[in-house]
Amino acid sequence: MGLKAGIVGLPNVGKSTLFNAITNSHVEAANYPFATINPNTGVVNVPDERLDFLTDLFKPERKIPATVEFYDIAGLVKGASHGEGLGNQFLSHIRECDAIVEVVRCFNNADIIHVEESVDPIRDIEIINLELVMADLETINKNYEKYEVKSRIAKDKEAILAMSIIRPLKEALEQGKAARSVSLTQEQALYCKNNFHLLTTKPIIYVANVGESDLSKLDNCENYQKVVKYAKEENNEVIPVSCQIEAELSALEPDERKLYLDDLGIKESGLEKVIKATYRLLDLSTFFTVGADECRAWTFKNNMSAPECAGVIHTDFEKGFIKAEVYSYDAIHELGSEAAVKEAGKLRTEGKGYYPKDGDIMFFRFNVTK
């Protein structure tokens, strides 16, 4: 669906190391600020045990997982909203993303330079978040000048709508709060998204980059616990990751990787958690199509209708949508075959008014006349 998440943070907190591991690519991850200038991009598969099960069951020629696109954006510094450290360029890259993955350094290592000369995760988070807020405040102030007179004197309808959004946003941003903290109606939120392109309306998760020895005893990792407390107050999620361990894991074959994780006493790598959390953060779900030719995971935005989901496969499917034959992943996982699902009456027919759920297995009926 073309949705992308931007990996941000101060210089040298582990962003590029994380990106390398996520995408299994090899971008520069140097020990000095601004090693990354232009954003590196990578499309990654979303780990999904359900697709693995369906592939084992149907034994298709191809297995095609859902994907998410990640951007590795250069490190922001204090003053970025005023152009410090090539800040304007970097902020524009964030603006192009749909969600933000903020990497925060939670480990001490005298050999790795910290741009602020000490490790303090909350200070680092507040530097990044304040720069995003200040950039948004500049945007809102420009729009205030544009719409205020039109709304007050000319009684322009669009200007009145714009000002109903601008005023509460301006107040929140001036207090250092993110725009996402302001409650907007559906109409206001859509107008804000399409016209103001604010950075702090984007959903965010924090990735706490902890030391290798801290990963197995997070309760005792003071810096990680600070990030958890901070994120909880914002109602945001924190994923603990040792970027160094993940870099080592990414270089291994799948069987070796599993053994490594078993040795660490971990069922799922931090990267898998980051990818899945980002998928959820983007408000995405998955439906499946299955058969002898391929088993495929398709990405859709929550609250899309059945015809819209059909359009994810091909625009003709949406235009000529007739109905969808649907059953749940849970049903086939429990019963063991498509035939058993049908026999149990778990296969149903849904029309245009159906809103697919995560894990639906779907077959679309459509007709397009030339």
Side-chain angles (χ1 to χ4, degrees):
M1 293 184 64
L3 295 170
K4 50 197 174 189
I7 302 176
V8 306
L10 294 178
N12 298 342
V13 295
K15 294 184 300 77
S16 293
T17 303
L18 179 71
F19 177 83
N20 285 344
I22 286 177
T23 63
N24 203 21
S25 60
H26 301 285
V27 303
E28 187 172 17
N31 182 24
Y32 55 88
F34 313 122
T36 308
I37 296 177
N38 294 317
N40 300 293
T41 64
V43 178
V44 301
N45 295 334
V46 178
D48 197 322
E49 298 81 2
R50 299 172 301 181
L51 182 62
D52 296 337
F53 174 85
L54 293 170
T55 301
D56 289 342
L57 186 66
F58 286 89
K59 296 180 171 37
E61 295 176 11
R62 298 178 301 278
K63 177 177 82 169
I64 305 176
T67 60
V68 172
E69 186 174 2
F70 282 90
Y71 270 36
D72 175 27
I73 296 170
L76 291 169
V77 294
K78 193 181 295 183
S81 58
H82 301 294
E84 291 294 327
L86 302 177
N88 291 332
Q89 183 180 350
F90 300 159
L91 289 168
S92 71
H93 293 150
I94 299 172
R95 212 177 295 280
E96 295 170 9
C97 296
D98 302 287
I100 296 173
V101 178
E102 185 170 333
V103 182
V104 187
R105 179 171 165 179
C106 293
F107 67 91
N108 291 291
N109 186 331
D111 294 329
I112 299 178
I113 299 166
H114 192 293
V115 72
E116 292 293 322
E117 300 183 351
S118 64
V119 175
D120 183 341
I122 303 307
R123 176 205 60 206
D124 294 356
I125 289 172
E126 290 179 343
I127 287 173
I128 295 290
N129 291 356
L130 181 59
E131 294 306 324
L132 301 182
V133 164
M134 294 303 293
D136 280 351
L137 183 57
E138 183 179 352
T139 298
I140 286 298
N141 283 337
K142 287 178 180 176
N143 280 281
Y144 186 95
E145 295 171 4
K146 177 181 177 181
Y147 289 111
E148 198 276 333
V149 172
K150 285 184 181 179
S151 68
R152 181 168 48 85
I153 297 176
K155 305 298 182 186
D156 180 87
K157 287 185 178 180
E158 181 184 353
I160 291 171
L161 172 61
M163 288 304 297
S164 74
I165 304 164
I166 290 168
R167 286 193 178 95
L169 286 177
K170 182 177 169 66
E171 182 179 350
L173 292 165
E174 286 176 342
Q175 294 173 13
K177 297 178 182 176
R180 73 179 75 87
S181 68
V182 176
S183 179
L184 299 175
T185 66
Q186 188 172 358
E187 180 188 18
Q188 288 174 326
L190 184 61
Y191 186 90
C192 181
K193 179 181 178 181
N194 292 338
N195 293 275
F196 300 152
H197 310 290
L198 301 178
L199 301 170
T200 62
T201 56
K202 299 179 189 298
I204 187 170
I205 56 171
Y206 296 106
V207 173
N209 185 10
V210 301
E212 296 177 46
S213 60
D214 292 322
L215 199 58
S216 60
K217 47 183 181 181
L218 291 170
D219 288 345
N220 297 327
C221 181
E222 184 179 353
N223 284 328
Y224 170 71
Q225 293 301 329
K226 286 179 182 178
V227 178
V228 169
K229 182 180 178 183
Y230 185 94
K232 188 176 182 180
E233 290 172 357
E234 293 184 332
N235 199 30
N236 288 322
E237 188 173 357
V238 181
I239 307 294
V241 170
S242 169
C243 290
Q244 187 56 47
I245 288 178
E246 299 300 336
E248 293 168 5
L249 282 169
S250 69
L252 300 177
E253 295 297 323
D255 290 345
E256 295 175 316
R257 195 177 304 144
K258 186 178 184 306
L259 288 173
Y260 193 156
L261 289 173
D262 288 344
D263 287 343
L264 293 171
I266 299 171
K267 291 183 179 180
E268 188 176 36
S269 76
L271 293 185
E272 290 180 326
K273 293 177 182 177
V274 171
I275 294 167
K276 289 179 179 179
T278 302
Y279 196 72
R280 294 192 302 270
L281 188 68
L282 289 165
D283 196 29
L284 302 177
S285 286
T286 302
F287 71 85
F288 302 96
T289 53
V290 297
D293 55 343
E294 71 175 31
C295 286
R296 182 162 182 166
W298 298 91
T299 299
F300 70 99
K301 288 280 281 185
N302 288 321
N303 297 317
M304 285 177 67
S305 67
E308 288 174 321
C309 285
V312 171
I313 299 176
H314 197 286
T315 53
D316 283 350
F317 283 31
E318 182 174 3
K319 291 175 184 175
F321 179 90
I322 299 171
K323 62 183 179 180
E325 296 173 0
V326 186
Y327 59 89
S328 70
Y329 169 80
D330 289 342
I332 197 167
H333 186 262
E334 176 189 350
L335 298 171
S337 72
E338 200 167 57
V341 169
K342 293 177 181 177
E343 188 176 337
K346 300 283 188 177
L347 175 69
R348 62 191 191 279
T349 299
E350 301 287 358
K352 294 181 179 180
Y354 178 66
Y355 291 84
K357 299 175 178 61
D358 184 54
D360 276 353
I361 297 168
M362 308 184 75
F363 179 77
F364 296 104
R365 302 284 185 181
F366 71 101
N367 180 39
V368 177
T369 56
K370 297 292 185 180

